[in-house]
Amino acid sequence: MNDIRVMIVDDSAFMRLTLKAMIEEDPFLKVVATARNGSDALTKLDRFHPDVITLDILLTGNRDGLAVLREIMAVRPTPTIMVSGAGGENAVIEALGSGAFDFIAKPNGRPSEIGRIESELQTKIRQAAETKIRPDAAHPDQTADGEIEQKTAALSRMGFPSLIFIGTSTGGPKALQLVVPGLKIGLPAPILIVQHMPAQFTKSLADRLDRMSRVKVSEAFEGEVLENGNVYIAPGGFHTRLLENENGRLVVRLSQDPPVHGVRPSVDVALNSLDRIRHRSYVVAILTGMGKDGASGLSRLKKNNRHVFAIAEARQSCVVFGMPKAAIETKQVDLVCPLGRVAESICSQYAFRGDE
């Protein structure tokens, strides 16, 4: 295995040394350059050609971390992991929407956290090194290899209440910036999104998507009754399950049960909760993400309910093809399509023109 070449960008000399020590605990990771500001980073990017960059989101100087990230993506697109301190949630969400691969919390010096952050940092660098940065591989006119024939308006004639469900992980915040604004006002189903993300960050994600979209987007809360046409983001740090109340409405139930697939919220946990709800139809979309979360939940739901239409994002538009690939391998997916066609494909299942 070739060494993975990393560049660290941080205005703190102490943090540069700390991150370098953490990264090089993995014998296959090598820090080839460090930079103290944006100008230094762009010069060394051209000189050293790193495989992965770690970038302080609150970088001081004439360019903050977001500005440096955008320049990196413009001049030499490179997988970039943002390093965020406390209170940087909004900036992290903006960075992820601007092409950052992922983010980690800045080490806070607590011994109990150092080992966890070191392991997380090394893992994300290895994952980032395996990805290819695409400028915008998600336009509606792109076709997908092995695309599956779409069923036309399969759910519109059933007469059942419905739910739209979207599961995603790495690359999800940017993907959702295309899918959610593409949803039409007045869809005859609520939309629940499970995005792998820690607590605090999902509220910022919901707020950002709400500003970008015509549909209402909010972070779900315990006991909330879902309304048709609204989008709900599962809160970070909690598993989200849905149950049906006495009026046949879907209600949110949150728990801090142990992580599943190492994550909380888990797509599988949410999907498995739907298995007890009868006489309801579903559109399920599995988008970009690391791992296989969502595959078993989708397979179980499809086998126990004939009224499920499943979509998986095509390989060429994914930041990471893991979750869609695992879903496709269950042979329960009805349509594989690039990201730019996901919103259209969801809406077409209801033969719905909405606000057009």
Side-chain angles (χ1 to χ4, degrees):
M1 177 179 176
N2 293 329
D3 286 346
I4 296 171
R5 297 159 49 82
V6 182
M7 180 169 75
I8 297 169
V9 184
D10 201 293
D11 53 15
S12 163
F14 173 77
M15 192 55 61
R16 293 196 296 271
L17 288 172
T18 299
L19 292 174
K20 184 177 188 295
M22 286 182 162
I23 291 167
E24 292 189 337
E25 278 294 311
D26 185 317
F28 295 108
L29 306 183
K30 180 177 178 59
V31 175
V32 295
T34 63
R36 65 186 184 279
N37 57 40
S39 298
D40 193 20
L42 293 166
T43 298
K44 289 176 177 175
L45 173 67
D46 189 55
R47 178 181 173 188
F48 290 98
H49 300 176
D51 301 310
V52 180
I53 298 168
T54 71
L55 175 58
D56 182 7
I57 203 161
L58 298 178
L59 196 65
T60 56
N62 59 353
R63 297 180 182 92
D64 64 10
L66 286 170
V68 175
L69 172 68
R70 294 187 183 106
E71 291 193 58
I72 289 169
M73 294 304 161
V75 302
R76 186 180 290 278
T78 305
T80 301
I81 297 168
M82 309 306 293
V83 181
S84 170
E89 294 89 355
N90 290 334
V92 164
I93 296 303
E94 187 172 349
L96 293 173
S98 298
F101 174 79
D102 210 329
F103 71 98
I104 64 159
K106 187 167 285 192
N108 56 23
R110 289 200 296 265
S112 60
E113 288 290 289
I114 294 296
R116 182 189 64 79
I117 293 174
E118 179 179 293
S119 176
E120 180 183 357
L121 176 60
Q122 293 169 358
T123 298
K124 289 184 176 181
I125 288 172
R126 290 194 298 270
Q127 292 170 345
E130 295 173 2
T131 68
K132 293 181 179 178
I133 300 295
R134 302 169 176 86
D136 272 306
H139 294 290
D141 57 349
Q142 289 184 320
T143 57
D145 294 336
E147 185 167 313
I148 301 171
E149 183 70 20
Q150 182 171 1
K151 301 174 184 176
T152 303
L155 304 180
S156 63
R157 297 183 294 272
M158 292 176 182
F160 296 156
S162 194
L163 172 73
I164 297 163
F165 180 93
I166 299 172
T168 186
S169 184
T170 309
K174 186 174 184 181
L176 293 172
Q177 288 184 185
L178 186 63
V179 173
V180 176
L183 298 175
K184 301 182 187 301
I185 295 173
L187 275 166
I191 302 99
L192 175 65
I193 297 174
V194 174
Q195 160 74 58
H196 295 167
M197 191 167 274
Q200 286 85 52
F201 290 92
T202 43
K203 175 65 164 58
S204 296
L205 175 63
D207 290 346
R208 180 173 175 83
L209 291 172
D210 186 61
R211 291 192 299 270
M212 298 176 68
S213 307
R214 295 168 293 176
V215 294
K216 179 182 177 183
V217 185
S218 60
E219 185 183 52
F221 58 83
E222 170 64 25
E224 184 167 18
V225 178
L226 303 190
E227 300 284 347
N228 285 354
N230 291 350
V231 177
Y232 303 88
I233 307 292
F238 294 86
H239 288 307
T240 296
R241 296 176 173 87
L242 297 180
L243 58 80
E244 201 169 43
N245 66 13
E246 63 276 9
N247 298 318
R249 307 279 296 282
L250 294 176
V251 180
V252 172
R253 287 287 179 260
L254 303 179
S255 78
Q256 290 189 305
D257 293 343
V260 174
H261 305 299
V263 295
R264 189 175 59 201
S266 160
V267 176
D268 276 333
V269 168
L271 285 173
N272 287 339
S273 74
L274 306 179
D275 199 43
R276 299 183 179 183
I277 300 172
R278 303 302 177 193
H279 308 299
R280 188 172 294 268
S281 64
Y282 301 96
V283 175
V284 177
I286 305 297
L287 309 182
T288 175
M290 195 74 63
K292 61 181 182 180
D293 192 20
S296 67
L298 171 63
S299 183
R300 178 176 171 178
L301 184 65
K302 285 274 281 190
K303 288 176 181 176
N304 293 325
N305 187 328
R306 293 182 296 112
H307 310 308
V308 180
F309 185 83
I311 300 167
E313 183 182 348
R315 180 190 296 269
Q316 84 259 27
S317 66
C318 284
V319 173
V320 181
F321 190 49
M323 284 172 53
K325 180 175 184 287
I328 292 166
E329 288 174 348
T330 68
K331 303 190 185 304
Q332 300 296 328
V333 169
D334 301 291
L335 174 68
V336 178
C337 69
L339 186 64
R341 289 186 52 198
V342 170
E344 166 199 338
S345 299
I346 289 171
C347 293
S348 69
Q349 283 304 300
Y350 299 93
F352 184 71
R353 293 187 177 274
D355 54 337
E356 283 191 333

